[in-house]
Amino acid sequence: MTRLTHIFTRFAVVVSEWTGKPAIFVLALFSVVLWGATGPIFGYSDTWQLVINTSTTIVTFLMVFLLQNAQTRDTRAIQAKLNELILTSAAENRFVGIENLDEEDLKHLDRLVEKAAKREPGQSQGKAGESIEYDRAIAAKSADKGKRRRVSRTASSKAQSKAGNSSRKPA
């Protein structure tokens, strides 16, 4: 299986490099123009239309997998390089692996880092990571308070409805 994966990876790299060249784009454009020019010859038949539809669908379907493979590999390589830079610099090590956070957490983290970057050098109370950890702690506390409020509202609503039911006299 490892050998097959290696072969596919090499194939995907070669194809993605090859298809990214301007000459290949010109070749594809020429193919579409040639197909369009043959329309009157074939009477714009259903078969004539089916040729371009089928060929473009097949090429697109296969290219999605090849390009996704290349993009995933490139992203992993970039993440490894960035992690190495973080670990060998004065940057915050806690940023290693943040690519695994969900979208909402990443957006929040991006806002916090942007806010820390906008601070004046004299105003900075620490590194951005410390600010982010502080903000995370505040966010967690406020989330806990919100949960407690919802629970207490629900509990008080249930207590009021029970009290209302017991004060009613049977008819």
Side-chain angles (χ1 to χ4, degrees):
M1 187 67 177
T2 304
R3 180 169 157 67
L4 184 61
T5 303
H6 182 69
I7 291 170
F8 177 75
T9 300
R10 289 180 57 204
F11 176 74
V13 168
V14 169
V15 170
S16 63
E17 288 175 1
W18 183 70
T19 57
K21 295 183 180 186
I24 301 304
F25 174 78
V26 171
L27 180 65
L29 182 63
F30 177 74
S31 299
V32 172
V33 169
L34 180 65
W35 169 81
T38 61
I41 296 170
F42 293 105
Y44 301 103
S45 68
D46 289 343
T47 304
W48 173 79
Q49 291 177 28
L50 192 60
V51 166
I52 196 74
N53 289 338
T54 304
S55 59
T56 56
T57 301
I58 290 170
V59 168
T60 302
F61 180 75
L62 295 175
M63 288 303 293
V64 163
F65 295 103
L66 290 174
L67 295 176
Q68 183 62 47
N69 177 272
Q71 184 179 7
T72 301
R73 228 180 24 267
D74 288 347
T75 301
R76 283 189 187 137
I78 289 170
Q79 286 302 323
K81 291 174 185 179
L82 288 172
N83 289 344
E84 177 66 17
L85 287 172
I86 289 170
L87 292 171
T88 59
S89 70
E92 289 290 323
N93 288 349
R94 62 186 94 191
F95 288 112
V96 172
I98 64 170
E99 66 274 5
N100 298 319
L101 295 175
D102 65 11
E103 189 65 27
E104 186 177 314
D105 288 340
L106 282 173
K107 285 180 182 177
H108 180 69
L109 187 61
D110 190 39
R111 286 190 301 269
L112 294 174
V113 171
E114 187 177 319
K115 187 168 53 170
K118 288 180 182 177
R119 287 187 191 140
E120 296 288 328
Q123 289 179 317
S124 180
Q125 297 172 346
K127 295 181 180 177
E130 294 168 358
S131 161
I132 291 166
E133 289 301 317
Y134 175 74
D135 286 345
R136 279 186 184 166
I138 291 173
K141 286 179 184 176
S142 65
D144 286 345
K145 285 181 185 175
K147 286 179 185 175
R148 277 188 248 132
R149 274 191 232 120
R150 282 192 295 269
V151 169
S152 64
R153 283 186 204 139
T154 306
S156 64
S157 299
K158 287 181 181 177
Q160 287 175 355
S161 66
K162 284 183 180 179
N165 287 340
S166 63
S167 65
R168 290 185 190 153
K169 294 181 181 175

